[in-house]
Amino acid sequence: MPLLRRSLSVLSLGSLTLLSACGCNLVGCFDGLTVALSVAPVGGYRVEARVLGSPAAFVFECPADQDCGARAFFADFTPEVAFITVITSRGTVQREVRPGYTTQQPNGKGCEPRCMQGTVTVESPT
């Protein structure tokens, strides 16, 4: 039994050394597009994101009784051109946007995962 414990100890130390030598952590990330609103809407709001020719939309809804801030994130949505619709109690704004994307590596250069993320700013209805 002592031999088994010693072997597990060495194996554990070896694994820790290997992990720290790699420098990679286990933080995840998602490909996607963030729509930042120029001003946080008062009350509830809805942000829709779609691509030309597609009837389906990615939808972010913030109920009136919650504070969602002024950002909506659409995971797995990385189009070259997107059509964004912001709907509030003050009206509706529709914009065509051409996001720029950057590659994010939350665990450091050379470590997985790699995610494509972009941000566009759209004015809130006034």
Side-chain angles (χ1 to χ4, degrees), residues 16-17 20 26 34 42 59 61 66 86-87 98 110 117 119:
L16 290 175
T17 303
S20 71
L26 299 176
T34 297
V42 176
V59 176
E61 285 198 77
Q66 291 185 14
V86 180
I87 304 162
R98 296 179 182 272
Q117 296 182 349
T119 300

Side-chain angles (χ1 to χ4, degrees), residues 74-117:
F74 299 99
D76 297 323
F77 185 72
T78 55
E80 289 183 31
V81 177
F83 297 89
I84 308 298
T85 304
V86 180
I87 304 162
T88 72
S89 61
R90 294 182 178 213
T92 300
V93 170
Q94 295 179 317
R95 295 290 177 261
E96 177 181 318
V97 297
R98 296 179 182 272
Y101 295 94
T102 58
T103 300
Q104 305 294 320
Q105 291 181 274
N107 296 311
K109 192 172 183 173
C111 297
E112 292 296 325
R114 299 173 73 125
C115 300
M116 295 290 292
Q117 296 182 349

Side-chain angles (χ1 to χ4, degrees), residues 55-77:
F58 285 75
V59 176
F60 175 87
E61 285 198 77
C62 180
D65 62 345
Q66 291 185 14
D67 179 12
C68 302
R71 293 181 167 262
F73 180 73
F74 299 99
D76 297 323
F77 185 72

